Amino acid sequence: MKLSDVITNPVRMKILQFLQIKGDATTKQICEELPDVPQPTLYRHINYLLKEEVLIVKSERKVRGSLERLLALNETKFTGNADIADSAYQFLMALYGSFQRYSDKENADPYADMLSLRTYMLTLTDESYADFFKELREVIEKYSKPQDGGKSRSLSVISAPVTEEEKK
């Protein structure tokens, strides 16, 4: 199955986004972080992601008679993906769909809702860029816990090399 078909499901996308921020987690931790998704649904999608090798089991241990697995993203599934253009297209179309549904709302107020579309060009060494993403993950993790009275917002980060043509 194509990677884009696997990851574009909204529940699977939530699981992957959580693991992108956290790095690794148990199924129990994923359930705690996604209380709006029924547990059986989460387990089904986690097992599907494992079957499709989008997730990997980093370690296993016995906890009160059951097996606890530490899960992580299978980075090679994303970085070594020959279907990267299709995956990017699916990702961008999912974002477009979110913006379209938002703009169709009668009471949409981009200013009040803090809608933001930004592109920043960075020229960094690979080491500095890795440090930047590490710090970005730390900031996102700091604010990733739902707050009472808070609004859900989607934050997407896209990183791609810039061609010489695009620099002009």
Side-chain angles (χ1 to χ4, degrees):
M1 181 170 286
K2 291 168 69 170
L3 180 62
S4 58
D5 294 335
V6 174
I7 66 174
T8 53
N9 174 280
V11 173
R12 292 192 287 263
M13 187 63 76
K14 285 182 179 185
I15 293 166
L16 297 176
Q17 288 171 342
F18 172 69
L19 288 170
Q20 282 179 313
I21 294 167
K22 182 81 170 148
D24 55 37
T26 64
T27 303
K28 180 181 177 191
Q29 290 170 323
I30 296 170
C31 288
E32 289 169 355
E33 286 296 319
L34 304 174
D36 58 321
V37 181
Q39 245 184 13
T41 301
L42 274 174
Y43 277 91
R44 183 169 33 90
H45 285 290
I46 288 169
N47 286 329
Y48 181 76
L49 290 168
L50 284 164
K51 181 181 128 259
E52 294 296 326
E53 299 176 339
V54 174
L55 296 182
I56 57 171
V57 178
K58 286 179 68 175
S59 65
E60 295 178 330
R61 68 183 186 124
K62 288 271 188 191
V63 176
R64 291 184 291 258
S66 63
L67 192 62
E68 180 181 76
R69 302 178 296 188
L70 187 63
L71 306 172
L73 293 176
N74 181 357
E75 296 293 339
T76 60
K77 195 75 165 179
F78 296 93
T79 57
N81 182 15
D83 194 19
I84 195 70
D86 185 57
S87 295
Y89 176 77
Q90 292 291 337
F91 176 82
L92 292 170
M93 288 301 96
L95 280 177
Y96 173 77
S98 295
F99 279 103
Q100 186 64 50
R101 286 186 297 279
Y102 174 81
S103 67
D104 287 346
K105 289 179 8 182
E106 277 186 42
N107 60 345
D109 185 347
Y111 184 75
D113 291 333
M114 295 187 254
L115 185 95
S116 175
L117 298 169
R118 303 280 188 273
T119 298
Y120 300 97
M121 300 296 272
L122 305 173
T123 305
L124 304 170
T125 65
D126 288 348
E127 183 180 330
S128 292
Y129 197 59
D131 290 343
F132 167 76
F133 263 98
K134 180 179 179 276
E135 291 174 31
L136 183 60
R137 275 193 304 273
E138 290 168 357
V139 169
I140 292 170
E141 188 169 355
K142 176 182 175 183
Y143 293 98
S144 66
K145 295 259 190 246
Q147 298 176 351
D148 290 337
K151 268 187 182 176
S152 291
R153 290 185 170 84
S154 174
L155 174 69
S156 299
V157 177
I158 300 171
S159 170
V162 177
T163 65
E164 288 302 317
E165 263 182 30
E166 292 170 311
K167 289 181 186 178
K168 297 175 183 175

